[in-house]
Structure formats: C-alpha cells, structure tokens
Amino acid sequence: MRSRVLALVAAVAMALFLALGLEPAHADGGAPSPPDGVCLGNIHYTFSPPLQLAPRPTTITWSGTYSCTSVTRAWNGEFDGSVKSTTGCLQTGTNQILAQGLTENDNWFASGGDDRLGSSALTGTVSTLPREDGSRLYEWTGTVTGGTWFRGHRFNGNGLYSSVADGKVCAAGGAIDHNDGEANITILPL
C-alpha cells in the first residue's frame, strides 16, 4: 500500500512540474533532454585537402549553431563534426554515400542557466545529393551514442549549400576549401 501511495505522489508531482513548465532535476545536476526535437541552423564546411574536380581522399569537417524546439521546450546548440571520404567538387551519381564514419558532437544550452546544459555524440553515415538548381544537399543519419541528452535516439539531418560556383571553379581547375549553408536535424526516440 505504501509503495502505491509513493508512486501516486511521484506521478502527481511530475504532472505538477510539467504543468507549471518546470523540470525535475537530472541525475548529473542538469536538466533532462526533451523527448524529441527539431533544430534549424547554419553550417560551415571545410574540405582538407580542398575539393578538386577529380575525387581524392578528403576530410570534411563542419560546425555551426542550432535553434531547437520540442513540444515541451526550446533550446540552442553548437555542433561540430567530421567524416573522411573520397570525393571531389562534382558528383558522378545521383546519390553518393560519402562515408560510414560520421561523427558529430553537439553542445546544448536550454534557458535557465548552467544547470540546463547537455551534450550529444552522434555517429552514422553521410551522403550527398546534387539538386537541379545547382545546390548540393548533405544528409546524415544515425544514432546518438553518447552524451547527456538524447542518448539512444535516432537523428536525421541535412545541410544545403549552393555548389554552382564550386562547379565553375572546379571546371576551371580550381579548388574549394570551404562552403557555408543551412542545416537542420530531427532527433526522435528509437
């Protein structure tokens, strides 16, 4: 009987926390992650060595910022990631798998101060898709494998940048060392 009363008190307290927009304390002192979320942001790509017309082994790194929302909360994030692949400025196929070894680290900042920080470590695959308008879409998918927020969730993101200028530079024998674009990611429970 006592365990039922304690369970009922805990359930009522949790409902009250959520109804008032409060969050219970997390085991590591920070706030728990939202159950899922959608993030929009900006992304900066760097290519080393710079992309050229002929594909060659290249490390692609990226970084940027997200602004995120879920049903229960809004938060912001900073991210950086990398993948190694054999690629060039132009693609030969319609959907090119760049690599299986994608890694990305996210640092999250929810409103309310330092006690509402979180992190995520993402692993998965990345592919690129050229579009009719001359832009290129990067897509990354996988699982959140570490950190304090979203561990065990799936992610699906994409970053878009215009590659029309890149194609002209490559066709003229030049190289591309960076590019900027838009990014978004959706994080969902498995």
Side-chain angles (χ1 to χ4, degrees), residues 168-179:
K168 291 178 181 177
V169 168
C170 275
I176 306 300
D177 65 354
H178 73 279
N179 213 317

Side-chain angles (χ1 to χ4, degrees), residues 136-183:
R136 181 182 275 192
L137 180 70
Y138 278 94
E139 293 184 295
W140 52 97
T141 61
T143 305
V144 180
T145 55
T148 58
W149 280 19
F150 304 114
R151 189 176 304 165
H153 284 49
R154 297 279 305 155
F155 68 86
N156 186 334
N158 62 63
L160 178 67
Y161 75 84
S162 175
S163 58
V164 174
D166 289 358
K168 291 178 181 177
V169 168
C170 275
I176 306 300
D177 65 354
H178 73 279
N179 213 317
D180 296 298
E182 300 170 359

